[in-house]
Coordinates of all heavy atoms in Angstrom, one line a residue:
D187 N 10.0 -10.5 33.2 CA 10.2 -11.4 34.3 C 9.6 -11.0 35.5 O 8.9 -11.7 36.2 CB 11.7 -11.7 34.4 CG 12.4 -12.2 33.2 OD1 12.3 -11.5 32.2 OD2 13.1 -13.2 33.2
Q188 N 9.9 -9.6 35.9 CA 9.3 -9.1 37.1 C 7.8 -9.0 37.0 O 7.1 -9.2 38.0 CB 9.9 -7.6 37.3 CG 11.3 -7.7 37.7 CD 11.9 -6.3 37.8 OE1 11.7 -5.5 36.9 NE2 12.5 -5.9 38.9
R189 N 7.3 -8.6 35.9 CA 5.8 -8.4 35.7 C 5.1 -9.8 35.8 O 4.0 -9.9 36.3 CB 5.5 -7.7 34.3 CG 5.9 -6.2 34.4 CD 5.8 -5.7 32.9 NE 4.6 -6.0 32.2 CZ 4.4 -6.0 30.9 NH1 5.5 -5.7 30.2 NH2 3.3 -6.3 30.4
T190 N 5.8 -10.8 35.2 CA 5.1 -12.1 35.3 C 5.0 -12.6 36.8 O 4.0 -13.1 37.2 CB 6.0 -13.1 34.5 OG1 6.1 -12.7 33.2 CG2 5.4 -14.5 34.5
A191 N 6.2 -12.4 37.5 CA 6.2 -12.8 39.0 C 5.2 -12.0 39.7 O 4.4 -12.5 40.5 CB 7.5 -12.5 39.5
K192 N 5.0 -10.7 39.4 CA 4.0 -9.8 40.1 C 2.6 -10.3 39.8 O 1.7 -10.4 40.7 CB 4.2 -8.4 39.5 CG 3.2 -7.4 40.2 CD 3.0 -6.2 39.4 CE 2.2 -6.4 38.2 NZ 1.8 -5.1 37.4
W193 N 2.3 -10.7 38.5 CA 0.9 -11.1 38.1 C 0.6 -12.4 38.9 O -0.5 -12.5 39.4 CB 0.8 -11.3 36.7 CG -0.5 -11.4 36.2 CD1 -1.3 -10.3 35.6 CD2 -1.5 -12.5 36.3 NE1 -2.6 -10.7 35.3 CE2 -2.7 -12.1 35.7 CE3 -1.4 -13.8 36.8 CZ2 -3.8 -13.0 35.6 CZ3 -2.5 -14.7 36.7 CH2 -3.7 -14.2 36.1
L194 N 1.5 -13.4 38.9 CA 1.3 -14.6 39.6 C 1.1 -14.5 41.1 O 0.2 -15.0 41.7 CB 2.5 -15.6 39.3 CG 2.6 -16.0 37.8 CD1 3.9 -16.9 37.7 CD2 1.4 -16.8 37.4
L195 N 1.9 -13.6 41.7 CA 1.8 -13.4 43.1 C 0.5 -12.7 43.5 O -0.2 -13.0 44.4 CB 3.0 -12.5 43.6 CG 3.1 -12.2 45.1 CD1 3.2 -13.5 45.8 CD2 4.2 -11.2 45.4
A196 N 0.1 -11.6 42.6 CA -1.2 -11.0 42.9 C -2.4 -11.9 42.7 O -3.3 -11.9 43.5 CB -1.4 -9.9 41.9
A197 N -2.3 -12.8 41.8 CA -3.3 -13.8 41.6 C -3.4 -14.8 42.7 O -4.5 -15.2 43.2 CB -3.2 -14.6 40.2
H198 N -2.3 -15.2 43.2 CA -2.1 -16.1 44.4 C -2.7 -15.5 45.6 O -3.5 -16.1 46.3 CB -0.7 -16.4 44.6 CG -0.5 -17.3 45.9 ND1 -0.1 -16.7 47.1 CD2 -0.5 -18.6 46.0 CE1 0.0 -17.7 48.0 NE2 -0.2 -18.8 47.3
D199 N -2.5 -14.2 45.8 CA -3.0 -13.5 47.0 C -4.5 -13.3 46.8 O -5.2 -13.4 47.9 CB -2.4 -12.1 47.1 CG -0.9 -12.2 47.7 OD1 -0.5 -13.3 48.1 OD2 -0.3 -11.1 47.8
R200 N -5.0 -13.0 45.6 CA -6.5 -12.8 45.5 C -7.3 -14.1 45.6 O -8.3 -14.1 46.2 CB -6.7 -12.1 44.1 CG -6.3 -10.7 44.0 CD -6.7 -10.1 42.7 NE -6.4 -8.7 42.7 CZ -5.3 -8.1 42.1 NH1 -4.4 -8.9 41.6 NH2 -5.2 -6.8 42.1
T201 N -6.8 -15.2 45.0 CA -7.5 -16.4 45.0 C -7.4 -17.2 46.3 O -8.1 -18.0 46.7 CB -7.1 -17.3 43.8 OG1 -5.8 -17.6 43.9 CG2 -7.4 -16.5 42.6
G202 N -6.2 -17.1 46.9 CA -5.9 -17.9 48.1 C -5.5 -19.3 47.8 O -5.5 -20.2 48.6
D203 N -5.2 -19.6 46.5 CA -5.0 -20.9 46.1 C -3.6 -21.0 45.5 O -3.1 -20.1 44.7 CB -6.0 -21.3 44.9 CG -6.0 -22.8 44.7 OD1 -5.1 -23.5 45.0 OD2 -7.1 -23.2 44.2
D204 N -2.8 -22.1 45.8 CA -1.5 -22.3 45.2 C -1.5 -22.7 43.8 O -0.6 -22.5 43.1 CB -0.7 -23.4 46.1 CG -0.3 -22.9 47.4 OD1 -0.3 -21.7 47.7 OD2 -0.2 -23.8 48.3
T205 N -2.6 -23.2 43.3 CA -2.7 -23.7 41.9 C -3.6 -22.7 41.1 O -4.8 -22.6 41.4 CB -3.3 -25.1 41.8 OG1 -2.4 -26.0 42.5 CG2 -3.4 -25.6 40.4
L206 N -3.0 -22.0 40.2 CA -3.7 -21.0 39.4 C -4.3 -21.7 38.1 O -3.4 -22.3 37.3 CB -2.9 -19.8 39.1 CG -2.2 -19.1 40.2 CD1 -1.3 -18.0 39.8 CD2 -3.2 -18.5 41.2
R207 N -5.5 -21.6 37.8 CA -6.1 -22.2 36.7 C -6.0 -21.4 35.5 O -7.0 -20.7 35.1 CB -7.6 -22.6 36.9 CG -7.7 -23.6 38.2 CD -9.2 -23.7 38.5 NE -9.6 -22.5 39.1 CZ -10.9 -22.2 39.5 NH1 -11.8 -23.1 39.3 NH2 -11.3 -21.0 40.0
L208 N -4.9 -21.3 34.9 CA -4.7 -20.5 33.6 C -3.6 -21.2 32.8 O -2.7 -21.8 33.3 CB -4.5 -19.1 33.9 CG -3.0 -18.7 34.2 CD1 -2.9 -17.1 33.9 CD2 -2.6 -18.9 35.6
T209 N -3.7 -21.0 31.5 CA -2.7 -21.6 30.6 C -1.5 -20.5 30.4 O -1.7 -19.4 30.7 CB -3.3 -22.0 29.2 OG1 -3.7 -20.7 28.6 CG2 -4.5 -22.8 29.5
Q210 N -0.4 -21.1 29.9 CA 0.6 -20.2 29.5 C 0.3 -19.2 28.4 O 0.7 -18.1 28.3 CB 1.9 -21.0 29.1 CG 2.4 -21.8 30.2 CD 3.7 -22.5 29.9 OE1 4.5 -22.0 29.0 NE2 4.0 -23.6 30.5
E211 N -0.6 -19.6 27.5 CA -1.2 -18.7 26.4 C -2.0 -17.6 27.0 O -1.8 -16.4 26.5 CB -2.1 -19.6 25.5 CG -1.4 -20.5 24.6 CD -1.1 -21.9 25.2 OE1 -1.4 -22.0 26.4 OE2 -0.6 -22.8 24.5
Q212 N -2.8 -17.9 28.1 CA -3.5 -16.8 28.7 C -2.6 -15.8 29.3 O -2.7 -14.6 29.2 CB -4.4 -17.4 29.8 CG -5.7 -17.9 29.4 CD -6.5 -18.6 30.5 OE1 -6.2 -19.6 31.0 NE2 -7.4 -17.7 31.1
L213 N -1.6 -16.2 30.1 CA -0.6 -15.4 30.7 C 0.2 -14.6 29.7 O 0.4 -13.3 29.9 CB 0.4 -16.2 31.6 CG 1.3 -15.5 32.5 CD1 0.6 -14.5 33.4 CD2 2.2 -16.5 33.3
A214 N 0.6 -15.2 28.6 CA 1.3 -14.5 27.6 C 0.5 -13.4 27.0 O 0.9 -12.2 26.8 CB 1.8 -15.5 26.6
A215 N -0.8 -13.7 26.7 CA -1.7 -12.7 26.1 C -1.9 -11.5 27.1 O -1.9 -10.3 26.6 CB -3.0 -13.3 25.8
M216 N -2.1 -11.7 28.3 CA -2.3 -10.6 29.3 C -1.1 -9.8 29.4 O -1.2 -8.5 29.6 CB -2.7 -11.2 30.6 CG -4.1 -11.7 30.7 SD -4.6 -12.3 32.4 CE -3.6 -13.8 32.5
L217 N 0.1 -10.3 29.2 CA 1.4 -9.6 29.4 C 1.8 -9.1 28.0 O 2.8 -8.4 27.9 CB 2.4 -10.4 30.0 CG 2.1 -10.8 31.5 CD1 3.1 -11.8 32.0 CD2 2.1 -9.6 32.4
A218 N 1.1 -9.4 26.9 CA 1.3 -8.9 25.6 C 2.8 -9.4 25.1 O 3.5 -8.6 24.5 CB 1.2 -7.4 25.5
V219 N 3.1 -10.6 25.4 CA 4.3 -11.2 24.9 C 4.0 -12.5 24.3 O 2.9 -13.1 24.3 CB 5.4 -11.4 26.0 CG1 5.8 -10.1 26.6 CG2 4.9 -12.3 27.1
G220 N 5.0 -13.1 23.6 CA 4.8 -14.5 23.0 C 4.9 -15.6 24.0 O 5.5 -15.4 25.0
R221 N 4.2 -16.7 23.7 CA 4.2 -17.8 24.6 C 5.6 -18.4 24.8 O 5.9 -18.7 26.0 CB 3.3 -18.9 24.1 CG 3.2 -20.1 25.1 CD 2.4 -21.2 24.7 NE 2.3 -22.2 25.7 CZ 2.9 -23.4 25.6 NH1 3.6 -23.7 24.5 NH2 2.8 -24.3 26.5
P222 N 6.5 -18.5 23.8 CA 7.9 -19.0 24.1 C 8.6 -18.1 25.2 O 9.3 -18.7 25.9 CB 8.6 -18.8 22.7 CG 7.4 -19.0 21.8 CD 6.3 -18.3 22.3
Y223 N 8.3 -16.9 25.2 CA 9.0 -15.9 26.1 C 8.4 -16.3 27.6 O 9.2 -16.5 28.5 CB 8.6 -14.5 25.9 CG 9.5 -13.4 26.5 CD1 10.3 -12.6 25.7 CD2 9.7 -13.4 27.8 CE1 11.2 -11.7 26.4 CE2 10.6 -12.6 28.5 CZ 11.2 -11.6 27.7 OH 12.1 -10.7 28.3
I224 N 7.2 -16.5 27.6 CA 6.6 -16.8 29.0 C 7.0 -18.3 29.4 O 7.4 -18.5 30.6 CB 5.0 -16.8 28.9 CG1 4.5 -15.3 28.9 CG2 4.4 -17.5 30.1 CD1 4.9 -14.5 30.1
S225 N 7.1 -19.1 28.4 CA 7.7 -20.5 28.8 C 9.1 -20.4 29.4 O 9.4 -21.1 30.3 CB 7.7 -21.4 27.6 OG 6.4 -21.6 27.1

Side-chain angles (χ1 to χ4, degrees):
D187 302 57
Q188 291 174 310
R189 289 167 52 202
T190 302
K192 181 201 71 171
W193 197 99
L194 294 174
L195 185 63
H198 177 264
D199 284 354
R200 287 187 173 97
T201 64
D203 196 336
D204 289 337
T205 300
L206 305 178
R207 297 169 295 174
L208 82 161
T209 65
Q210 293 186 30
E211 288 83 357
Q212 282 179 276
L213 186 57
M216 284 185 288
L217 296 172
V219 297
R221 184 179 181 252
Y223 199 120
I224 287 297
S225 295

